[in-house]
Amino acid sequence: MPILTLCLLCTLAAVARAAPAAPMGSQEPAQHEELTLLFHGALQLGQAFNGVHRATETQLTEVGHSLGRYGQALGILGQEVSQGRDAAQELRTSLMDMQEEEDVLKLQAEATAEALEEVARGQQTLLESMQRLEVQLKGLWLGHAHQEFENLKAHADKQNHIVWALTGHVQRQRQEMLAQQHRLRQIQER
């Protein structure tokens, strides 16, 4: 803006030099006053332009700072959105892992339940055989039959122990499945 003011002053000076010289008399002081007023007006106009220029520069600087702050805020918001996406992906992965674990536990529980049923049928068959043999042995306490009876009885005790252990294992698996389902429900509710 100072260059514009200087150019304006130079132009006014050139106009003043090019103006025809007035005859000596009363008109000369009037032209001098007009020139002074003209220069004074040009100076004030230059100062006004200078003030507008400074105000505009200040506003542009403030706008630049505001844009910088908005850019920073957008950057932070972008990071938070990215972190939210990452957390959501981790949660999805965690849910899928838990679902797979639950499926494995379910299959194990079904296999264990089938094995228990088979053991229970075998135990029932064994008990029936033992009862028949016991009936036969009540009247005859022969050495070989007595030994077979003791073997069957030991085998039945062993089977009972296995059934007891498997029952405990199934109960633990059921508790694990219930806990897993409870955790899944909590995660899904979130």
Side-chain angles (χ1 to χ4, degrees), residues 70-102:
Y70 288 135
Q72 288 174 348
L74 282 174
I76 291 170
L77 185 61
Q79 288 175 350
E80 289 177 0
V81 166
S82 177
Q83 289 171 352
R85 283 186 188 138
D86 292 345
Q89 182 60 38
E90 286 178 20
L91 185 59
R92 278 189 216 101
T93 303
S94 190
L95 279 171
M96 287 180 0
D97 290 345
M98 290 177 80
Q99 186 66 45
E100 288 173 6
E101 287 176 17
E102 183 183 358

Side-chain angles (χ1 to χ4, degrees), residues 112 116 158-172:
T112 305
L116 271 177
K158 190 188 252 186
Q159 289 281 353
N160 280 336
H161 180 70
I162 290 171
V163 168
W164 177 77
L166 285 174
T167 303
H169 182 66
V170 166
Q171 288 174 347
R172 280 191 302 278

